[in-house]
Coordinates of all heavy atoms in Angstrom, one line a residue:
M433 N 36.0 -27.7 24.8 CA 35.7 -26.8 23.7 C 36.8 -25.7 23.6 O 37.1 -25.3 22.6 CB 34.3 -26.2 23.9 CG 33.9 -25.3 22.8 SD 32.2 -24.6 23.1 CE 31.4 -25.1 21.6
F434 N 37.1 -25.2 24.8 CA 38.1 -24.1 24.8 C 39.4 -24.6 25.5 O 39.3 -25.4 26.4 CB 37.6 -22.9 25.5 CG 36.5 -22.2 24.8 CD1 35.2 -22.5 25.1 CD2 36.7 -21.2 23.9 CE1 34.1 -21.9 24.4 CE2 35.7 -20.6 23.2 CZ 34.3 -21.0 23.5
K435 N 40.6 -24.1 25.0 CA 41.8 -24.6 25.5 C 42.7 -23.3 25.7 O 42.7 -22.5 24.9 CB 42.5 -25.5 24.5 CG 43.7 -26.2 25.0 CD 44.1 -27.1 23.9 CE 45.5 -27.6 24.2 NZ 46.1 -28.3 23.2
R436 N 43.4 -23.3 26.8 CA 44.2 -22.2 27.1 C 45.5 -22.2 26.2 O 45.9 -23.3 25.7 CB 44.7 -22.2 28.5 CG 43.6 -22.0 29.5 CD 44.1 -21.7 30.9 NE 43.0 -21.4 31.8 CZ 42.4 -20.3 31.9 NH1 42.9 -19.2 31.2 NH2 41.4 -20.1 32.8
A437 N 46.0 -21.0 25.9 CA 47.1 -21.0 25.0 C 48.3 -21.5 25.8 O 48.5 -21.3 26.9 CB 47.4 -19.5 24.6
E438 N 49.2 -22.2 25.1 CA 50.5 -22.7 25.7 C 51.3 -21.5 26.0 O 51.3 -20.5 25.3 CB 51.1 -23.7 24.8 CG 50.3 -24.9 24.6 CD 51.1 -26.1 23.9 OE1 52.3 -26.0 24.0 OE2 50.4 -26.9 23.4
G439 N 52.0 -21.6 27.1 CA 53.0 -20.6 27.5 C 52.3 -19.5 28.3 O 52.9 -18.4 28.6
D440 N 51.1 -19.7 28.8 CA 50.4 -18.7 29.6 C 50.9 -18.9 31.0 O 50.8 -19.8 31.7 CB 48.9 -19.1 29.6 CG 48.0 -18.1 30.4 OD1 48.6 -17.3 31.1 OD2 46.8 -18.1 30.3
T441 N 51.7 -17.8 31.4 CA 52.4 -17.9 32.7 C 51.7 -17.1 33.8 O 52.3 -16.9 34.8 CB 53.8 -17.4 32.5 OG1 53.8 -16.0 32.0 CG2 54.6 -18.2 31.5
R442 N 50.5 -16.7 33.5 CA 49.8 -15.9 34.6 C 49.6 -16.7 35.8 O 49.4 -18.0 35.7 CB 48.5 -15.4 34.0 CG 48.6 -14.3 32.9 CD 47.3 -13.9 32.3 NE 46.6 -15.1 31.7 CZ 45.3 -15.2 31.5 NH1 44.5 -14.3 32.0 NH2 44.8 -16.3 31.0
R443 N 49.5 -16.1 36.9 CA 49.3 -16.7 38.2 C 47.9 -17.4 38.3 O 47.0 -16.9 37.8 CB 49.4 -15.7 39.3 CG 49.5 -16.2 40.7 CD 49.7 -15.1 41.7 NE 48.6 -14.3 42.0 CZ 47.6 -14.6 42.9 NH1 47.7 -15.6 43.6 NH2 46.6 -13.7 43.0
S444 N 47.9 -18.6 38.9 CA 46.6 -19.3 39.1 C 45.9 -18.8 40.2 O 46.4 -18.4 41.2 CB 46.9 -20.8 39.2 OG 47.4 -21.4 38.1
V445 N 44.6 -18.7 40.1 CA 43.7 -18.4 41.2 C 42.6 -19.5 41.3 O 42.3 -20.2 40.2 CB 43.0 -17.0 41.0 CG1 44.0 -15.9 41.1 CG2 42.2 -16.9 39.8
T446 N 42.0 -19.7 42.4 CA 41.0 -20.7 42.6 C 39.6 -20.0 42.8 O 39.6 -19.1 43.6 CB 41.2 -21.6 43.8 OG1 42.5 -22.2 43.6 CG2 40.2 -22.6 44.0
I447 N 38.7 -20.3 41.9 CA 37.3 -19.8 42.1 C 36.4 -21.0 42.4 O 36.8 -22.2 42.1 CB 36.8 -19.0 40.9 CG1 36.8 -19.9 39.7 CG2 37.7 -17.8 40.7 CD1 36.2 -19.1 38.4
H448 N 35.2 -20.8 42.9 CA 34.3 -21.9 43.3 C 33.0 -21.7 42.4 O 32.4 -20.7 42.5 CB 34.0 -21.9 44.7 CG 35.3 -22.0 45.5 ND1 35.8 -23.2 45.9 CD2 36.1 -21.0 46.0 CE1 37.0 -23.0 46.6 NE2 37.1 -21.7 46.7
V449 N 32.7 -22.7 41.7 CA 31.6 -22.7 40.8 C 30.6 -23.8 41.3 O 30.9 -25.0 41.3 CB 31.9 -23.0 39.3 CG1 30.7 -22.9 38.5 CG2 32.9 -22.0 38.9
E450 N 29.4 -23.3 41.8 CA 28.4 -24.2 42.3 C 29.2 -25.1 43.5 O 28.9 -26.3 43.6 CB 27.9 -25.1 41.3 CG 27.3 -24.4 40.1 CD 25.8 -24.0 40.2 OE1 25.1 -24.8 40.8 OE2 25.5 -23.0 39.6
G451 N 30.1 -24.5 44.2 CA 30.7 -25.1 45.3 C 32.0 -26.0 44.8 O 32.7 -26.5 45.7
R452 N 32.2 -26.0 43.6 CA 33.3 -26.9 43.1 C 34.5 -25.9 42.8 O 34.3 -25.0 42.0 CB 32.9 -27.6 41.8 CG 33.9 -28.4 41.2 CD 33.2 -29.2 40.1 NE 34.3 -29.9 39.3 CZ 34.1 -30.5 38.2 NH1 32.9 -30.6 37.7 NH2 35.0 -31.0 37.5
A453 N 35.6 -26.2 43.3 CA 36.9 -25.4 43.1 C 37.4 -25.7 41.7 O 37.5 -26.8 41.3 CB 37.9 -25.8 44.1
I454 N 37.7 -24.5 41.0 CA 38.3 -24.7 39.6 C 39.4 -23.7 39.6 O 39.4 -22.6 40.3 CB 37.3 -24.5 38.4 CG1 36.8 -23.0 38.5 CG2 36.2 -25.4 38.5 CD1 36.1 -22.7 37.1
E455 N 40.3 -24.0 38.7 CA 41.5 -23.2 38.5 C 41.2 -22.2 37.4 O 40.7 -22.5 36.3 CB 42.8 -23.9 38.2 CG 44.0 -23.1 38.0 CD 45.2 -24.0 37.7 OE1 45.6 -24.9 38.5 OE2 45.7 -23.8 36.5
A456 N 41.5 -20.9 37.7 CA 41.5 -19.8 36.7 C 42.8 -19.2 36.6 O 43.8 -19.5 37.4 CB 40.3 -18.9 37.0
R457 N 42.9 -18.2 35.8 CA 44.2 -17.4 35.7 C 43.9 -16.0 36.0 O 42.8 -15.4 35.6 CB 44.8 -17.5 34.3 CG 45.1 -18.9 33.9 CD 46.4 -19.4 34.6 NE 46.6 -20.8 34.4 CZ 47.1 -21.4 33.4 NH1 47.5 -20.7 32.4 NH2 47.2 -22.7 33.4
E458 N 44.8 -15.4 36.8 CA 44.7 -14.0 37.1 C 44.4 -13.1 35.8 O 45.1 -13.4 34.8 CB 46.0 -13.5 37.7 CG 45.9 -12.2 38.5 CD 47.1 -12.0 39.4 OE1 48.2 -12.0 38.8 OE2 47.0 -11.8 40.6
G459 N 43.5 -12.3 35.8 CA 43.1 -11.6 34.5 C 42.0 -12.2 33.7 O 41.4 -11.5 32.8
D460 N 41.6 -13.4 34.0 CA 40.5 -14.0 33.3 C 39.2 -13.3 33.7 O 39.1 -12.9 34.9 CB 40.3 -15.5 33.7 CG 41.2 -16.5 33.1 OD1 41.9 -16.1 32.2 OD2 41.2 -17.7 33.5
S461 N 38.3 -13.2 32.8 CA 36.9 -12.8 33.2 C 36.3 -14.0 33.8 O 36.7 -15.2 33.5 CB 36.1 -12.2 32.0 OG 35.9 -13.3 31.1
V462 N 35.2 -13.8 34.5 CA 34.5 -14.9 35.0 C 34.0 -15.8 33.9 O 34.1 -17.1 33.9 CB 33.3 -14.5 35.9 CG1 32.3 -15.7 36.2 CG2 33.8 -13.9 37.2
S463 N 33.5 -15.2 32.8 CA 33.0 -16.1 31.7 C 34.1 -16.8 31.0 O 34.0 -18.0 30.7 CB 32.4 -15.1 30.7 OG 31.2 -14.6 31.2
A464 N 35.3 -16.2 30.8 CA 36.4 -16.9 30.3 C 36.9 -18.1 31.1 O 37.1 -19.2 30.6 CB 37.6 -16.0 30.0
A465 N 36.8 -17.9 32.4 CA 37.2 -18.9 33.4 C 36.2 -20.1 33.2 O 36.6 -21.3 33.3 CB 37.3 -18.4 34.7
L466 N 34.9 -19.8 33.2 CA 33.9 -20.8 33.1 C 34.0 -21.6 31.8 O 33.9 -22.8 31.8 CB 32.5 -20.2 33.2 CG 32.1 -19.7 34.5 CD1 30.8 -18.9 34.5 CD2 32.0 -20.8 35.6
L467 N 34.2 -20.9 30.7 CA 34.4 -21.6 29.4 C 35.6 -22.5 29.4 O 35.6 -23.5 28.9 CB 34.4 -20.5 28.2 CG 33.1 -19.8 28.0 CD1 33.3 -18.7 26.9 CD2 32.0 -20.8 27.6
A468 N 36.7 -21.9 30.0 CA 37.9 -22.8 30.0 C 37.8 -23.9 30.9 O 38.6 -24.9 30.8 CB 39.1 -21.8 30.3
S469 N 36.9 -23.9 31.9 CA 36.9 -24.9 32.9 C 36.3 -26.3 32.4 O 36.6 -27.3 32.9 CB 36.0 -24.4 34.1 OG 34.6 -24.5 33.7
G470 N 35.5 -26.2 31.3 CA 34.9 -27.4 30.8 C 33.7 -27.8 31.6 O 33.0 -28.7 31.2
L471 N 33.3 -27.0 32.5 CA 32.0 -27.2 33.3 C 30.8 -26.8 32.4 O 31.0 -26.0 31.4 CB 31.9 -26.4 34.5 CG 33.0 -26.7 35.6 CD1 32.8 -25.7 36.8 CD2 32.8 -28.1 36.1
D472 N 29.7 -27.3 32.6 CA 28.4 -26.9 31.9 C 28.0 -25.6 32.6 O 27.4 -25.6 33.7 CB 27.3 -27.9 32.1 CG 26.1 -27.5 31.4 OD1 26.1 -26.4 30.8 OD2 25.1 -28.3 31.3
A473 N 28.3 -24.5 32.0 CA 28.1 -23.1 32.5 C 26.9 -22.5 31.8 O 26.7 -21.3 31.9 CB 29.4 -22.3 32.3
R474 N 26.0 -23.3 31.3 CA 24.9 -22.7 30.6 C 23.8 -22.2 31.7 O 23.5 -23.0 32.5 CB 24.2 -23.7 29.7 CG 25.1 -24.1 28.6 CD 24.4 -25.2 27.8 NE 24.2 -26.4 28.6 CZ 23.6 -27.4 28.2 NH1 23.0 -27.5 27.1 NH2 23.5 -28.5 29.0
R475 N 23.5 -20.9 31.6 CA 22.5 -20.4 32.4 C 21.1 -20.7 31.8 O 21.1 -21.1 30.6 CB 22.6 -18.9 32.6 CG 22.2 -18.0 31.4 CD 22.4 -16.6 31.8 NE 21.9 -15.7 30.7 CZ 20.7 -15.2 30.5 NH1 19.8 -15.5 31.4 NH2 20.3 -14.5 29.5
A476 N 20.0 -20.5 32.6 CA 18.7 -20.6 32.0 C 18.0 -19.3 32.0 O 18.0 -18.6 33.0 CB 17.9 -21.6 32.8
T477 N 17.4 -18.9 30.9 CA 16.7 -17.6 30.8 C 15.5 -17.6 31.7 O 14.9 -18.6 32.1 CB 16.2 -17.3 29.4 OG1 15.3 -18.3 28.9 CG2 17.4 -17.3 28.4
A478 N 15.1 -16.3 32.1 CA 14.0 -16.2 33.1 C 12.6 -16.5 32.5 O 11.8 -17.0 33.2 CB 14.0 -14.7 33.6
V479 N 12.5 -16.3 31.2 CA 11.2 -16.5 30.6 C 10.9 -17.9 30.1 O 10.0 -18.5 30.5 CB 10.9 -15.5 29.4 CG1 9.6 -15.7 28.7 CG2 11.0 -14.0 29.9
S480 N 11.7 -18.4 29.3 CA 11.5 -19.7 28.7 C 12.4 -20.8 29.3 O 12.1 -22.0 29.0 CB 11.7 -19.6 27.2 OG 13.2 -19.5 26.9
G481 N 13.4 -20.4 30.0 CA 14.3 -21.5 30.5 C 15.3 -21.9 29.5 O 16.1 -22.8 29.8
A482 N 15.4 -21.2 28.4 CA 16.3 -21.6 27.3 C 17.8 -21.5 27.8 O 18.1 -20.6 28.7 CB 16.1 -20.7 26.1
K483 N 18.6 -22.4 27.4 CA 20.0 -22.4 27.8 C 20.8 -21.4 27.1 O 20.6 -21.2 25.9 CB 20.6 -23.7 27.6 CG 19.9 -24.8 28.4 CD 20.1 -24.7 29.9 CE 19.5 -25.9 30.6 NZ 19.7 -25.7 32.0
R484 N 21.7 -20.7 27.8 CA 22.6 -19.7 27.2 C 24.0 -19.8 27.7 O 24.2 -20.1 28.9 CB 22.1 -18.2 27.5 CG 20.7 -17.9 27.0 CD 20.8 -17.6 25.5 NE 19.6 -17.0 24.9 CZ 18.6 -17.7 24.4 NH1 18.7 -19.0 24.4 NH2 17.6 -17.1 24.0
L485 N 25.0 -19.5 26.8 CA 26.4 -19.4 27.2 C 26.8 -18.0 26.9 O 26.3 -17.3 26.0 CB 27.2 -20.4 26.4 CG 27.4 -21.8 26.9 CD1 28.1 -22.6 25.9 CD2 28.1 -21.9 28.2
P486 N 27.9 -17.6 27.5 CA 28.5 -16.2 27.1 C 28.7 -16.2 25.6 O 29.2 -17.2 25.0 CB 29.8 -16.2 27.9 CG 29.6 -17.1 29.1 CD 28.7 -18.2 28.6
Y487 N 28.4 -15.1 25.0 CA 28.5 -15.0 23.5 C 29.5 -13.9 23.0 O 30.4 -14.2 22.4 CB 27.1 -14.9 23.0 CG 27.0 -14.8 21.5 CD1 27.4 -15.9 20.7 CD2 26.7 -13.6 20.8 CE1 27.3 -15.8 19.3 CE2 26.6 -13.5 19.4 CZ 26.9 -14.6 18.7 OH 27.0 -14.5 17.4
C488 N 29.1 -12.7 23.4 CA 29.9 -11.5 22.9 C 31.2 -11.3 23.6 O 32.1 -10.8 23.0 CB 29.0 -10.3 22.8 SG 28.7 -9.6 24.5
M489 N 31.2 -11.6 24.9 CA 32.4 -11.4 25.8 C 32.8 -10.0 25.9 O 33.9 -9.7 26.1 CB 33.6 -12.3 25.3 CG 33.3 -13.8 25.2 SD 32.9 -14.4 26.8 CE 34.5 -14.7 27.5
M490 N 31.8 -9.1 25.7 CA 32.2 -7.6 25.7 C 31.0 -6.8 26.3 O 30.9 -5.6 26.1 CB 32.6 -7.0 24.4 CG 31.6 -7.2 23.3 SD 32.4 -6.5 21.8 CE 30.9 -6.5 20.8
G491 N 30.0 -7.4 27.1 CA 29.1 -6.7 27.8 C 27.8 -6.3 27.0 O 27.0 -5.5 27.4
V492 N 27.6 -6.9 25.8 CA 26.4 -6.5 25.0 C 25.3 -7.4 25.0 O 24.2 -7.0 25.2 CB 26.9 -6.3 23.5 CG1 25.7 -6.0 22.6 CG2 27.9 -5.2 23.4
C493 N 25.5 -8.7 25.1 CA 24.4 -9.7 24.9 C 23.7 -10.1 26.1 O 22.6 -10.6 26.1 CB 24.9 -10.9 24.1 SG 26.0 -12.0 25.1
F494 N 24.4 -10.0 27.3 CA 23.8 -10.4 28.6 C 23.5 -12.0 28.7 O 22.8 -12.4 29.5 CB 22.5 -9.6 29.0 CG 22.8 -8.2 29.4 CD1 23.1 -7.3 28.4 CD2 22.8 -7.9 30.7 CE1 23.3 -6.0 28.8 CE2 23.1 -6.5 31.1 CZ 23.3 -5.6 30.1
D495 N 24.1 -12.7 27.9 CA 24.0 -14.2 27.9 C 24.9 -14.8 28.9 O 24.9 -16.0 29.1 CB 24.2 -14.8 26.5 CG 23.0 -14.7 25.7 OD1 21.9 -14.5 26.2 OD2 23.1 -14.9 24.4
C496 N 25.6 -14.0 29.7 CA 26.7 -14.5 30.6 C 26.2 -14.2 32.1 O 27.1 -14.4 32.9 CB 28.0 -13.8 30.4 SG 27.9 -12.0 30.5
L497 N 25.0 -13.9 32.3 CA 24.5 -13.6 33.7 C 24.8 -14.7 34.6 O 24.5 -15.8 34.4 CB 23.1 -13.2 33.7 CG 22.7 -11.9 32.9 CD1 21.2 -11.7 33.0 CD2 23.5 -10.7 33.4
V498 N 25.5 -14.4 35.8 CA 25.8 -15.3 36.9 C 25.6 -14.6 38.2 O 25.5 -13.4 38.3 CB 27.2 -15.8 36.8 CG1 27.4 -16.8 35.6 CG2 28.2 -14.7 36.7
T499 N 25.6 -15.4 39.2 CA 25.6 -14.9 40.5 C 27.0 -15.0 41.1 O 27.6 -16.0 41.1 CB 24.6 -15.7 41.5 OG1 23.3 -15.5 41.0 CG2 24.7 -15.2 42.9
I500 N 27.5 -13.8 41.5 CA 28.9 -13.7 42.0 C 28.9 -13.3 43.4 O 28.4 -12.2 43.7 CB 29.8 -12.8 41.1 CG1 29.8 -13.3 39.6 CG2 31.2 -12.7 41.7 CD1 30.5 -12.3 38.6
D501 N 29.5 -14.1 44.3 CA 29.5 -13.8 45.7 C 28.2 -13.3 46.2 O 28.0 -12.3 46.9 CB 30.6 -12.7 46.0 CG 32.0 -13.2 45.8 OD1 32.2 -14.5 45.9 OD2 32.9 -12.4 45.4
G502 N 27.1 -14.0 45.8 CA 25.8 -13.7 46.2 C 25.0 -12.6 45.6 O 23.9 -12.4 45.9
V503 N 25.6 -12.0 44.7 CA 24.9 -10.9 43.8 C 24.6 -11.4 42.5 O 25.4 -11.8 41.7 CB 25.8 -9.7 43.8 CG1 25.1 -8.5 43.0 CG2 26.3 -9.2 45.1
G504 N 23.2 -11.4 42.2 CA 22.8 -12.0 40.9 C 22.8 -11.0 39.8 O 23.1 -9.8 40.0
N505 N 22.6 -11.5 38.6 CA 22.5 -10.7 37.4 C 23.9 -10.0 37.1 O 23.9 -8.9 36.5 CB 21.4 -9.7 37.4 CG 20.1 -10.3 37.0 OD1 20.0 -11.5 36.6 ND2 19.0 -9.6 37.1
R506 N 25.0 -10.6 37.4 CA 26.3 -9.9 37.1 C 26.7 -10.5 35.7 O 26.5 -11.7 35.4 CB 27.4 -10.4 38.2 CG 27.1 -10.0 39.6 CD 27.2 -8.5 39.9 NE 28.4 -7.9 39.4 CZ 29.6 -7.8 40.0 NH1 29.6 -8.4 41.2 NH2 30.6 -7.2 39.5
Q507 N 27.2 -9.6 34.9 CA 27.8 -10.0 33.6 C 29.2 -10.7 33.8 O 30.1 -9.9 34.0 CB 27.8 -8.9 32.6 CG 26.4 -8.4 32.2 CD 26.5 -7.1 31.4 OE1 26.6 -6.0 32.0 NE2 26.6 -7.3 30.1
G508 N 29.2 -11.9 33.7 CA 30.5 -12.6 33.9 C 31.6 -12.2 33.0 O 32.8 -12.2 33.4
C509 N 31.3 -11.7 31.8 CA 32.3 -11.3 30.9 C 33.0 -10.0 31.3 O 34.1 -9.7 30.7 CB 31.8 -11.3 29.4 SG 30.7 -9.9 29.2
L510 N 32.4 -9.3 32.2 CA 32.9 -8.0 32.6 C 33.6 -8.0 33.9 O 34.1 -6.9 34.4 CB 31.8 -6.9 32.5 CG 31.2 -6.7 31.2 CD1 30.1 -5.6 31.3 CD2 32.2 -6.3 30.1
V511 N 33.6 -9.1 34.6 CA 34.1 -9.2 36.0 C 35.3 -10.1 36.0 O 35.2 -11.2 35.7 CB 33.0 -9.8 36.9 CG1 33.5 -9.9 38.4 CG2 31.7 -8.9 36.9
P512 N 36.5 -9.5 36.4 CA 37.7 -10.3 36.5 C 37.6 -11.3 37.8 O 37.0 -10.9 38.7 CB 38.8 -9.3 36.7 CG 38.1 -8.0 37.1 CD 36.7 -8.1 36.7
V513 N 38.2 -12.5 37.6 CA 38.2 -13.4 38.7 C 39.0 -12.9 39.8 O 40.0 -12.2 39.6 CB 38.7 -14.8 38.3 CG1 37.7 -15.4 37.3 CG2 40.1 -14.8 37.7
V514 N 38.6 -13.3 41.1 CA 39.4 -13.0 42.3 C 39.5 -14.3 43.0 O 38.5 -15.1 43.1 CB 38.6 -11.9 43.1 CG1 39.4 -11.7 44.4 CG2 38.5 -10.6 42.3
D515 N 40.6 -14.6 43.6 CA 40.9 -15.8 44.3 C 39.7 -16.0 45.4 O 39.5 -15.0 46.2 CB 42.2 -15.8 45.0 CG 42.7 -17.1 45.3 OD1 42.5 -18.1 44.6 OD2 43.3 -17.3 46.4
G516 N 39.1 -17.1 45.4 CA 38.1 -17.4 46.4 C 36.7 -17.0 46.0 O 35.8 -17.2 46.7
M517 N 36.5 -16.4 44.9 CA 35.2 -16.0 44.3 C 34.3 -17.1 44.3 O 34.6 -18.2 43.9 CB 35.4 -15.3 43.0 CG 34.2 -14.7 42.4 SD 34.7 -14.0 40.7 CE 34.9 -12.3 41.2
Q518 N 33.0 -16.9 44.7 CA 31.9 -17.9 44.7 C 31.0 -17.6 43.5 O 30.4 -16.5 43.5 CB 31.2 -17.9 45.9 CG 32.0 -18.1 47.2 CD 32.5 -19.5 47.3 OE1 31.8 -20.5 46.9 NE2 33.7 -19.7 47.9
I519 N 30.8 -18.5 42.6 CA 30.0 -18.3 41.4 C 28.9 -19.3 41.4 O 29.1 -20.5 41.6 CB 30.8 -18.4 40.2 CG1 31.9 -17.2 40.2 CG2 30.0 -18.2 38.9 CD1 33.0 -17.5 39.3
E520 N 27.6 -18.8 41.1 CA 26.5 -19.8 40.9 C 26.0 -19.5 39.4 O 25.9 -18.4 39.1 CB 25.4 -19.5 41.9 CG 25.8 -19.6 43.3 CD 26.1 -21.0 43.8 OE1 25.5 -22.0 43.2 OE2 27.0 -21.2 44.6
I521 N 25.7 -20.6 38.7 CA 25.1 -20.5 37.4 C 23.7 -20.1 37.6 O 23.0 -20.7 38.4 CB 25.2 -21.8 36.7 CG1 26.7 -22.3 36.6 CG2 24.6 -21.7 35.3 CD1 27.6 -21.4 36.0
Q522 N 23.3 -19.0 37.0 CA 22.0 -18.5 37.2 C 20.9 -19.3 36.4 O 21.0 -19.5 35.2 CB 21.9 -17.0 36.8 CG 20.8 -16.2 37.4 CD 21.1 -14.7 37.3 OE1 22.1 -14.3 37.9 NE2 20.2 -14.0 36.7
K523 N 19.9 -19.7 37.2 CA 18.8 -20.5 36.6 C 17.5 -19.7 36.8 O 17.0 -19.5 37.8 CB 18.6 -21.8 37.4 CG 19.9 -22.6 37.5 CD 20.3 -23.3 36.2 CE 21.4 -24.3 36.5 NZ 22.4 -24.3 35.5
G524 N 17.1 -19.1 35.6 CA 15.9 -18.2 35.7 C 16.2 -16.9 36.3 O 17.3 -16.4 36.2
K525 N 15.2 -16.3 36.9 CA 15.4 -14.9 37.5 C 16.3 -14.9 38.7 O 16.4 -16.0 39.4 CB 14.0 -14.4 37.9 CG 13.1 -14.1 36.8 CD 11.8 -13.5 37.3 CE 10.9 -14.5 37.9 NZ 9.5 -14.1 38.1
R526 N 16.9 -13.8 38.9 CA 17.8 -13.8 40.2 C 16.9 -13.7 41.3 O 15.7 -13.2 41.2 CB 18.7 -12.6 40.1 CG 18.0 -11.2 40.3 CD 19.1 -10.1 40.2 NE 18.4 -8.8 40.3 CZ 18.2 -8.2 41.4 NH1 18.6 -8.6 42.6 NH2 17.6 -7.0 41.4
E527 N 17.3 -14.0 42.5 CA 16.5 -13.9 43.7 C 16.5 -12.4 44.1 O 17.4 -11.7 44.0 CB 17.2 -14.8 44.8 CG 17.3 -16.2 44.5 CD 15.9 -16.9 44.5 OE1 15.0 -16.5 45.3 OE2 15.7 -17.8 43.6
I528 N 15.2 -12.0 44.5 CA 15.1 -10.7 45.1 C 16.0 -10.5 46.3 O 16.0 -11.4 47.2 CB 13.7 -10.4 45.4 CG1 12.8 -10.5 44.1 CG2 13.5 -9.0 46.0 CD1 13.1 -9.5 43.0
G529 N 16.7 -9.4 46.4 CA 17.5 -9.2 47.5 C 18.9 -9.6 47.3 O 19.8 -9.5 48.2
K530 N 19.2 -10.2 46.2 CA 20.6 -10.7 45.8 C 21.1 -9.9 44.7 O 20.5 -9.3 44.0 CB 20.6 -12.2 45.5 CG 20.3 -13.1 46.7 CD 20.5 -14.5 46.3 CE 20.4 -15.4 47.5 NZ 20.7 -16.7 47.2
Ligands
FES1324 S1 28.9 -12.5 27.0 FE1 27.7 -10.9 26.2 S2 27.3 -9.6 27.8 FE2 28.7 -11.0 28.7

């Protein structure tokens, strides 16, 4: 669905989504990296389980919630990727204590 612009010379970083290594680019937000990866990055809402993808990409809609390095309810659109980052697609409520 999404394709990177040609001529993007930013350095590659590797992040892990549900344990699977994917390539992102330095400066990508977590949400941008997920959308560019082609993976099914849809989270499930806490109440109905409805599927959601990042929408506004600017911190307003909260449709991008993910677990990053063990911390739940992070807005993926506001967090830049870091090499080695561990990301879990959030299914329902975050775990207490995470
Ligand atoms: S995509 Fe809307 S808050 Fe992150």
Side-chain angles (χ1 to χ4, degrees):
M433 180 180 236
F434 293 91
K435 186 176 169 188
R436 292 193 181 276
E438 293 194 22
D440 185 348
T441 59
R442 293 176 296 155
R443 191 174 73 88
S444 293
V445 296
T446 300
I447 61 175
H448 303 272
V449 180
E450 310 266 329
R452 181 172 165 186
I454 66 166
E455 181 182 297
R457 299 284 167 81
E458 200 168 54
D460 280 353
S461 68
V462 168
S463 294
L466 288 173
L467 292 172
S469 74
L471 296 176
D472 182 357
R474 294 175 297 169
R475 73 176 184 94
T477 61
V479 176
S480 69
K483 299 292 187 182
R484 294 283 191 271
L485 274 174
Y487 180 67
C488 73
M489 301 299 278
M490 60 183 189
V492 176
C493 72
F494 287 77
D495 278 339
C496 60
L497 296 178
V498 290
T499 298
I500 300 174
D501 292 333
V503 180
N505 280 355
R506 302 287 311 274
Q507 287 174 276
C509 69
L510 300 181
V511 179
V513 293
V514 174
D515 200 40
M517 183 178 263
Q518 303 287 327
I519 298 162
E520 302 292 327
I521 305 302
Q522 202 161 299
K523 309 286 190 220
K525 293 184 282 191
R526 72 180 176 97
E527 297 294 322
I528 299 295
K530 289 188 174 183

